[in-house]
Each structure stands twice: as structure tokens, then as C-alpha cells.
Amino acid sequence: MTLIAIEWDDTVGDDGRGGVRLLDQTLLPGTTTHREIRHTDDLVTAIAELAVRGAPALGVAGAMGVVLAMDEGEREAWSAAQVEQAVDRVRHARPTAVNLAWGVDRVRPLMAEGRDAVLEAARTVAREDEAANRELSRLGADWLLARIDRPRLRVLTHCNTGALATSAWGTALGVVRELHARDRLELVYVDETRPLLQGSRLTAFELASDGIAHVVQADGAAASTILRGLVDLAVVGADRIAANGDAANKIGTLGVALACADAGIPFMVAAPWSTVDLAMADGSGIEIEERSGEEVTALGGTRLAPEGTRGFNPAFDVTPARLVGAVATERGVAEPKAGTDLTAFADRSADPGHHSRDRTAIGLK
Ligand code: MRU
């Protein structure tokens, strides 16, 4: 099934300019409905509510948000400063995934050339993200298969990193898809991913659509599943990766990494280069989004904790580089735990010519 999380749709609205069309992920898998967005503040709301989510998809949202601000500014006769303020609201709609600001900053310099130039650049962001995901998935699968001696791998993953979280294909789930395509995948253990259940609602939905064998487990089961020897590796996505390999991802990822270290199995982070933030030397400076405590004290709108009990709801954690066996990007696979950080890849381009060189660099044929 082809899932498109976010796109620019020329038929949205009635002035021929179009708008953002996004699959509302708050209602999946039960209800498939789209939000058609023409106002920047509606995009900010959609981002805050996680109707569109996942770092690479947020990069596309950021880029398309600039077009929205320009179109809305023209319709509403905003000043240039008002347009810039609207762009800034999109840029800061969520703090942890660097891709959101990256997507805005990628197209913002083109504003002087007009909205068509910005829209074309935003569409390019989406196209390049899919290409990056497919390449990093191939490289990630190569790295794993070179190190794990089993005909078919048993994989644990956390949160949702598939087509729904990206432009297409996925990052960690892209690696899973690549293993499946090579007939080297046995089973995926999907952490349900409390409190918003991106694992049980979204990852299971994507895997079921693709006919990939999987089970959903409570997040609290992950460490035990790993130490019992039921999985060969864990692969997760990231919202921001610091230069040294510290990686911010959905809350609960750190526990998975700790268990993998104890069990001596690979813990891989799979992400496009757009998620790497070389301006951050390490993860200590990454802002962790704190969401409403009610997402934890209630489930599906039903209060679970006693009235008066407050929830604590950090949405992400940071896994230190010493626990990260591999970071698979389209530029190659870094090994932070073994001492190669991300700066080694700073000057590489992602052009296809690098594929063979990257594979050679990591000791693969
Ligand atoms: O709060 P979310 O659902 O946006 O969090 C998403 C994640 O943590 C993903 O693992 C990450 O963004 C990578 S998506 C390819």
C-alpha cells in the first residue's frame, strides 16, 4: 500500500494554488482521513497534535509551511514581517526533530525568487528524502547482515519510522522492509510506544499492509525480549543525531539501547543525513519536548490515573553514543560505539557514486 503522509496538492482550495494535504495520523488505523491545510497556523496545530509527525515528514512540513505562509500572506495582504513570523511559527512548532527547522531553512533563502521556486524546492526535499531512505536502508541492511549470522533476522523496533514518518519507504522501518525484500527477515517485535502508540497504531498498520510478520509488545516487555535472546538486533529512527553519535528518539529508545548493550546485540539508528545536527557536539544540548501529562494519565480520552495525579511526559530521550553500534545514513554507516562519529561523513555527498565507496569503507563488498 502506498501511504503518503504529506504532500502539496494543487487541488486544495479554489484559487489554483493548492495547499498541504496530510494523512491525519491521530486517527489511524481506525479512520483514514486527510487534513487540507491553507493556513500556517493550521499546519502548526497539525504538527503539535502529531497529525503529521516523524522527523523526515516534519522536514517536508517545514518546507511546505514556507509556501503556505507566502500564499496566506498574499491572500491576507500580510507585511513581509508577518510572513516571516508565520514561517517562524512553523519552524518552532516542535523542538526536538531537527528536520523541521532544517526543512524551513532549506527553502527559506528562495523566498525572494517567489513561491513557485519555494514550492519546487519543498517538493525536492520530499523527493530527496525518499531516495535517502532507500539508500540508508540498503546500507543498514548490508551492515547488519555482515555481522549477524542467521538466515533470517528477528528485529525489535520502537515508535514509527515508516512511510508515515517520512516522504516514503521509511528509515528504521526501511531497513526492516529491505531485509524483508531480501527474504532475510523472520519477525518484527514492535514496541507499542506509549503514550501515543505510534508502534501499535502506525508501525503495525504499515507492517500488516506489507504482509510483514510482526507482533506488538508493551514497551515494558522490550528489555526482557532482548535479554531472553528473542531478537538479533534493534533498529530505531532518530529526531536529532549529534556529531558524536548521541541520538534523540522517541521516549523508551534508551531502555532498548541499554538492553541491547547488555545482551551484546547491535543497536542501530537509521536516519537520513537531514537528521544529523553537526552543530550539536553531543546530545546534552538537544531540547526534549515535554508534552501534556494528560497523554500519560489518560488513554484514548479515558482517565486512568486518579484525579489529581500529574503526568510526566518527556516525548524523547537521548541514547548516548557509547550504546549506538551503528548510525545508518545515505552517506554511509557510522559506528559511534567503536569511535567513528558523524563528522567523518560531513563532506560526503549522497550521490549514488558514493554507494560503492561507502560500502567499501565499512568493509562490505
Ligand atoms: O513524536 P513523534 O511520533 O513525531 O516521534 C517520532 C520518532 O521518535 C521517530 O522515531 C523519529 O522521528 C524518526 S521517524 C523516521
Side-chain angles (χ1 to χ4, degrees):
M1 186 199 288
T2 305
L3 292 167
I4 298 176
I6 180 167
E7 63 186 335
W8 189 270
D9 183 343
D10 293 326
T11 69
V12 170
D14 50 17
D15 61 4
R17 297 216 139 193
V20 168
R21 180 176 153 88
L22 56 87
L23 181 56
D24 187 344
Q25 298 188 32
T26 63
L27 303 172
L28 287 174
T31 304
T32 302
T33 182
H34 290 84
R35 294 192 194 185
E36 296 188 341
I37 294 180
R38 303 250 297 160
H39 300 279
T40 39
D41 285 345
D42 290 342
L43 182 65
V44 170
T45 300
I47 292 170
E49 292 177 353
L50 274 58
V52 60
R53 47 151 295 283
L58 290 176
V60 177
M64 292 185 173
V66 179
V67 188
L68 279 183
M70 292 177 77
D71 284 353
E72 191 174 4
E74 196 174 311
R75 283 198 311 272
E76 305 295 332
W78 284 350
S79 67
Q82 283 175 302
V83 173
E84 294 291 345
Q85 284 160 10
V87 170
D88 281 335
R89 285 197 295 280
V90 172
R91 193 178 188 278
H92 297 294
R94 290 183 80 191
T96 305
V98 68
N99 304 62
L100 178 58
W102 172 89
V104 169
D105 295 346
R106 178 88 193 263
V107 305
R108 201 172 198 165
L110 296 169
M111 288 173 75
E113 293 177 29
R115 59 86 70 185
D116 287 350
V118 177
L119 176 56
E120 184 46 38
R123 285 180 159 144
T124 301
V125 166
R127 275 195 300 274
E128 289 180 357
D129 180 58
E130 175 174 1
N133 293 338
R134 290 186 185 271
E135 180 67 355
L136 72 88
S137 298
R138 280 190 284 272
L139 294 173
D142 286 347
W143 190 94
L144 291 166
L145 291 170
R147 285 159 181 79
I148 304 171
D149 188 20
R150 269 181 75 94
R152 291 192 178 77
L153 307 187
R154 303 159 305 164
V155 179
L156 185 146
T157 194
H158 192 78
C159 198
N160 171 263
T161 59
L164 290 168
T166 62
S167 300
W169 186 251
T171 60
L173 215 60
V175 174
V176 168
R177 288 198 157 106
E178 178 71 20
L179 292 170
H180 176 71
R182 297 186 196 183
D183 197 22
R184 299 297 303 272
L185 181 71
E186 184 174 319
L187 180 65
V188 186
Y189 288 83
V190 179
D191 284 355
E192 64 173 346
T193 318
R194 283 279 290 150
L196 297 179
L197 305 175
Q198 288 92 333
S200 56
R201 292 190 303 110
L202 308 177
T203 300
F205 174 62
E206 291 201 47
L207 292 173
S209 304
D210 282 358
I212 296 178
H214 65 283
V215 290
V216 172
Q217 64 182 0
D219 295 348
S224 168
T225 299
I226 292 165
L227 294 192
R228 285 172 65 195
L230 298 179
V231 296
D232 303 305
L233 68 120
V235 60
V236 300
D239 288 83
R240 190 182 298 246
I241 305 171
N244 73 336
D246 289 354
N249 191 49
K250 179 54 55 195
I251 191 76
T253 302
L254 174 55
V256 171
L258 285 164
C260 286
D262 194 72
I265 64 170
F267 175 82
M268 171 179 278
V269 174
W273 190 256
S274 55
T275 302
V276 176
D277 184 359
L278 291 180
M280 292 260 169
D282 60 48
S284 61
I286 298 176
E287 184 180 347
I288 300 297
E289 176 184 6
E290 190 153 332
R291 297 182 59 84
S292 165
E294 286 172 21
E295 290 180 350
V296 177
T297 55
L299 191 60
T302 303
R303 175 107 194 157
L304 300 177
E307 290 299 336
T309 296
R310 288 184 296 124
F312 173 54
N313 190 13
F316 301 95
D317 55 30
V318 178
T319 298
R322 66 175 184 278
L323 301 176
V324 179
V327 178
T329 77
E330 72 276 24
R331 296 188 180 194
V333 181
E335 300 180 354
K337 192 174 169 178
T340 56
D341 65 18
L342 277 300
T343 55
F345 296 80
D347 295 329
R348 293 194 196 184
S349 73
D351 67 40
H354 277 89
H355 188 191
S356 52
R357 287 205 292 284
D358 288 345
R359 289 155 68 94
T360 307
I362 61 170
L364 299 171
K365 292 169 196 72

